[in-house]
Amino acid sequence: MTGLERRYRWLLRAYPSWYRRDCGEDMLGTLLDREPGGGWPAPSEALALVTGGLRVRSSLNRRLSMTAGLRLAALFGLALAATVRAGHLLGVDLVFVLHPLAARCGLAVKRAMDTLPAPGGDIWGEDDNPRRYDAYAREYPGYRQTSRDLIALALPSAESGAADAAVLDLACGTGVTTREILPVLGPHSQVTGVDQSAAMLEVAARSTTDPRATWVQARAENVDQHMTGPVDAVICNSAIWQTNVAATAIAVRAVLQTRGRFAFNVPAGFLDDGATHRSRDRYPALFSEMRAIAARDYGWAPDNRAPGRTRQRLTRESIRGSLSAAGFDVEQVTEVSYQASTESERAWLSIPIFTRDQLSGLPYEQRMRVLGKACEHLGPSQTQPQQWVVFIARATDRR
Amino acid sequence: MALREMREPTYFVLASLLDGPLHGYAIIKRAAELSGGRVKMATGTLYTALDRLSSEGYVRLVSEEIVNGRARRSYGLTEAGQDVLRAEAARMERAASVVTSSARRGRPAATVPAARPA
């Protein structure tokens, strides 16, 4: 290993371990291709690596300029690059002299970044979402059924008797799935509910008093940095598409025992692979009707200046690829159909977050009046069976 | 389809993949060539852009091979990536035509006298 490679490897530590495992070697190859005979990292490269790493750690890899995190990252990177360059001019390998100090600085920066709110803030914590979400899940059985189906596939042994196991409920929200997992596990089991929304976790902790449940605030992509031990199964109900699936798969593999199962589901309409009807809306006809009513009754118009939320393009194959790359064998990809009543669909859409983007700028009360009129106008025929695609993957020795 | 103006490095990263998939270093070189040397991306910046473009569905990982004992990945343009690149090229063409069509008509460009030094 050359001195240059050693120094670049050190700088790549700015990126989280899951990211380095995924593409660290590829990045290192590119860095070394650029400077085949070099002995020292170019300051611009060093700065870009440090800021890039901190962006990934804070999930700020979007067009978010001048945020507190990036300013902090840029300052840290500039200081590091300048110090390394100064050392170069003096003929001293300051990278290693400064290693303990820089590591402490890096840790301090990471801790500071961890305290920053999630990109876009905790949108689940707004508008009474957690309470309404939890109330919906308790009142209507459909959501709990999706949880139970995933549990049966991820923990088949639990059905024949209450076995002890450690289970991770990823993106657990208000703990709906955790509450379904606990009864099928033995008395010495442990269920860890992880979610990035503090407000959702607060409701989860309040409503689930079972001592076998613990709650952790973390993003799914970083879950491996927040778990204290390996788990036997990971379940992620109705949420995986809100995360970076490739990064989440790597983090999940890092916390899962070999042969352990990772079970999750995606609405078929969210997959762009042609096997299903492609739709950006879960209820295209209903939302279209709602927008027309909002325009007619309230003069509502879409706010084209509002930044659209970008969503990763997912297909069955891309998800299979992410799982395989992370060290999973895909055991099952099956389509499941759930029939929901009109009343249940209306109650689901009464959770503020689900109409917030569709009718941006319109107050909640008005959105609900619009929803009521749209449901009446369309009648029960707008209720269609909801198709979901369930993925079951098993962790292998391959990493 | 992107409605926002695309930044120049992003444009040239996407343009570098028009002729087929490339690995990281080749993207950096090609983007520099295509931009006449204006876009000189650092490696960390390139991978940040690739992550973002992948999550937006414009770029995808095409292959991974082992070169000199190290994984080397190639990235390619998706159909959505081609669409957004063409849309941006058309937008710039329209913007450029505002100036070039004015010049063709022989209208002199309005100029502002240079500030006099104090």
Coordinates of all heavy atoms in Angstrom, one line a residue, chain B residues 13-48:
Chain B
V13 N -21.9 15.7 -16.0 CA -21.9 14.3 -15.5 C -22.8 13.5 -16.3 O -22.5 12.4 -16.8 CB -22.2 14.2 -14.0 CG1 -22.4 12.8 -13.6 CG2 -21.0 14.7 -13.2
L14 N -24.1 14.0 -16.5 CA -25.1 13.2 -17.2 C -24.6 13.2 -18.7 O -24.7 12.1 -19.3 CB -26.4 13.9 -17.1 CG -27.1 13.9 -15.7 CD1 -28.4 14.7 -15.8 CD2 -27.4 12.4 -15.3
A15 N -24.1 14.3 -19.2 CA -23.7 14.3 -20.6 C -22.6 13.3 -20.9 O -22.5 12.7 -22.0 CB -23.3 15.7 -21.1
S16 N -21.7 13.1 -19.9 CA -20.6 12.2 -20.1 C -21.0 10.8 -20.3 O -20.3 10.0 -20.8 CB -19.6 12.4 -18.9 OG -20.2 11.8 -17.8
L17 N -22.2 10.5 -19.8 CA -22.7 9.1 -19.9 C -23.6 8.9 -21.2 O -24.1 7.8 -21.3 CB -23.5 8.8 -18.6 CG -22.7 8.9 -17.3 CD1 -23.7 8.7 -16.1 CD2 -21.7 7.8 -17.3
L18 N -23.7 9.9 -22.0 CA -24.5 9.7 -23.2 C -24.1 8.6 -24.1 O -24.9 7.9 -24.7 CB -24.6 11.1 -24.0 CG -25.7 12.0 -23.6 CD1 -25.5 13.3 -24.4 CD2 -27.1 11.4 -23.9
D19 N -22.8 8.4 -24.2 CA -22.2 7.4 -25.2 C -22.2 6.0 -24.5 O -21.7 5.1 -25.2 CB -20.9 7.8 -25.7 CG -21.0 9.1 -26.5 OD1 -22.0 9.3 -27.1 OD2 -20.0 9.8 -26.6
G20 N -22.5 5.9 -23.3 CA -22.5 4.6 -22.6 C -21.9 4.7 -21.2 O -21.4 5.8 -20.8
P21 N -22.0 3.6 -20.5 CA -21.6 3.6 -19.1 C -20.1 3.9 -18.9 O -19.3 3.5 -19.8 CB -21.9 2.2 -18.6 CG -22.9 1.7 -19.6 CD -22.6 2.3 -20.9
L22 N -19.7 4.6 -17.9 CA -18.3 4.9 -17.6 C -18.1 4.7 -16.1 O -19.0 4.8 -15.3 CB -18.0 6.3 -17.9 CG -18.1 6.8 -19.4 CD1 -17.9 8.3 -19.4 CD2 -17.0 6.1 -20.2
H23 N -16.8 4.4 -15.7 CA -16.5 4.4 -14.3 C -16.1 5.8 -13.8 O -16.0 6.7 -14.6 CB -15.4 3.4 -14.0 CG -14.1 3.6 -14.8 ND1 -13.2 4.6 -14.4 CD2 -13.6 3.1 -15.9 CE1 -12.2 4.6 -15.2 NE2 -12.4 3.7 -16.2
G24 N -15.9 5.9 -12.5 CA -15.7 7.2 -11.9 C -14.7 8.1 -12.5 O -15.0 9.3 -12.9
Y25 N -13.5 7.6 -12.7 CA -12.4 8.4 -13.2 C -12.7 8.9 -14.6 O -12.5 10.0 -15.0 CB -11.1 7.7 -13.1 CG -9.9 8.4 -13.7 CD1 -9.7 9.8 -13.3 CD2 -9.1 7.9 -14.6 CE1 -8.6 10.5 -13.9 CE2 -8.0 8.6 -15.2 CZ -7.8 9.9 -14.8 OH -6.7 10.6 -15.3
A26 N -13.3 7.9 -15.4 CA -13.6 8.2 -16.8 C -14.7 9.3 -16.9 O -14.7 10.2 -17.8 CB -14.1 7.0 -17.5
I27 N -15.7 9.3 -15.9 CA -16.7 10.4 -15.9 C -16.0 11.7 -15.6 O -16.4 12.7 -16.3 CB -17.7 10.1 -14.8 CG1 -18.5 8.8 -15.1 CG2 -18.7 11.2 -14.7 CD1 -19.4 8.3 -14.0
I28 N -15.1 11.8 -14.7 CA -14.4 13.0 -14.4 C -13.7 13.6 -15.6 O -13.8 14.7 -15.9 CB -13.5 12.8 -13.2 CG1 -14.2 12.6 -11.9 CG2 -12.5 14.0 -13.0 CD1 -13.4 12.1 -10.7
K29 N -13.0 12.7 -16.3 CA -12.2 13.1 -17.5 C -13.1 13.6 -18.6 O -12.9 14.6 -19.2 CB -11.4 11.9 -18.0 CG -10.0 11.8 -17.3 CD -9.0 11.0 -18.1 CE -9.5 9.7 -18.7 NZ -8.5 9.0 -19.4
R30 N -14.2 12.8 -18.8 CA -15.1 13.1 -19.9 C -15.9 14.4 -19.7 O -16.0 15.2 -20.6 CB -16.1 11.9 -20.1 CG -17.0 12.1 -21.3 CD -16.3 11.7 -22.6 NE -17.2 11.9 -23.7 CZ -17.0 12.5 -24.8 NH1 -15.8 13.1 -24.9 NH2 -17.8 12.6 -25.8
A31 N -16.3 14.6 -18.4 CA -17.0 15.8 -18.1 C -16.0 17.0 -18.3 O -16.5 18.1 -18.8 CB -17.5 15.8 -16.6
A32 N -14.8 16.9 -18.0 CA -13.8 18.0 -18.2 C -13.6 18.2 -19.7 O -13.6 19.4 -20.1 CB -12.5 17.6 -17.5
E33 N -13.5 17.1 -20.4 CA -13.4 17.3 -21.9 C -14.6 18.0 -22.5 O -14.4 19.0 -23.2 CB -13.3 15.9 -22.6 CG -11.9 15.3 -22.5 CD -12.0 13.8 -22.9 OE1 -13.0 13.4 -23.6 OE2 -11.1 13.0 -22.5
L34 N -15.8 17.5 -22.1 CA -17.0 18.1 -22.7 C -17.2 19.5 -22.4 O -17.8 20.3 -23.1 CB -18.2 17.3 -22.3 CG -18.3 15.8 -22.8 CD1 -19.5 15.1 -22.2 CD2 -18.5 15.8 -24.4
S35 N -16.7 19.9 -21.2 CA -17.0 21.3 -20.7 C -15.8 22.2 -21.1 O -15.8 23.4 -20.6 CB -17.2 21.3 -19.2 OG -16.0 20.9 -18.6
G36 N -14.9 21.7 -21.9 CA -13.7 22.5 -22.2 C -12.8 22.8 -21.0 O -12.2 23.9 -21.0
G37 N -12.8 22.0 -20.1 CA -12.0 22.1 -18.9 C -12.6 22.9 -17.7 O -12.0 23.1 -16.7
R38 N -13.8 23.4 -17.9 CA -14.5 24.2 -16.9 C -14.9 23.3 -15.7 O -14.8 23.8 -14.5 CB -15.7 24.9 -17.4 CG -15.4 26.2 -18.1 CD -16.6 27.1 -18.2 NE -17.8 26.4 -18.5 CZ -18.2 26.0 -19.8 NH1 -17.4 26.3 -20.8 NH2 -19.3 25.4 -20.0
V39 N -15.4 22.1 -16.0 CA -15.8 21.3 -14.9 C -14.7 20.3 -14.5 O -14.4 19.4 -15.2 CB -17.1 20.5 -15.3 CG1 -17.5 19.5 -14.2 CG2 -18.2 21.4 -15.6
K40 N -14.1 20.6 -13.3 CA -13.1 19.7 -12.8 C -13.6 19.2 -11.5 O -13.4 19.9 -10.4 CB -11.8 20.5 -12.6 CG -11.2 21.0 -13.9 CD -10.0 21.9 -13.7 CE -9.4 22.4 -15.0 NZ -8.5 23.5 -14.9
M41 N -14.2 18.1 -11.5 CA -14.8 17.6 -10.3 C -13.9 16.8 -9.4 O -13.1 16.0 -9.9 CB -16.0 16.7 -10.6 CG -17.1 17.3 -11.4 SD -18.5 16.2 -11.6 CE -19.3 16.5 -10.0
A42 N -13.9 17.1 -8.1 CA -13.2 16.3 -7.1 C -14.0 14.9 -7.0 O -15.2 14.9 -7.3 CB -13.1 17.0 -5.8
T43 N -13.2 13.9 -6.6 CA -13.9 12.6 -6.6 C -15.0 12.5 -5.6 O -16.1 12.0 -5.9 CB -12.8 11.5 -6.1 OG1 -11.7 11.6 -7.1 CG2 -13.3 10.1 -6.1
G44 N -14.8 13.2 -4.4 CA -15.9 13.2 -3.4 C -17.2 13.9 -4.0 O -18.3 13.5 -3.7
T45 N -16.9 14.9 -4.7 CA -18.1 15.7 -5.3 C -18.8 14.8 -6.3 O -20.0 14.8 -6.4 CB -17.6 17.0 -6.0 OG1 -16.7 17.7 -5.1 CG2 -18.7 17.9 -6.4
L46 N -18.0 14.1 -7.1 CA -18.6 13.2 -8.2 C -19.5 12.2 -7.5 O -20.6 12.0 -7.9 CB -17.5 12.5 -9.0 CG -18.1 11.4 -9.9 CD1 -18.8 12.0 -11.1 CD2 -17.0 10.5 -10.4
Y47 N -19.0 11.5 -6.4 CA -19.8 10.5 -5.8 C -21.0 11.0 -5.1 O -22.1 10.4 -5.1 CB -18.9 9.6 -4.9 CG -18.1 8.6 -5.7 CD1 -16.9 9.0 -6.3 CD2 -18.6 7.3 -6.0 CE1 -16.2 8.1 -7.2 CE2 -17.9 6.4 -6.8 CZ -16.7 6.8 -7.4 OH -16.0 6.0 -8.2
T48 N -20.9 12.2 -4.6 CA -22.1 12.9 -4.0 C -23.1 13.1 -5.1 O -24.3 12.8 -4.9 CB -21.7 14.2 -3.4 OG1 -20.8 14.0 -2.3 CG2 -22.9 14.9 -2.8

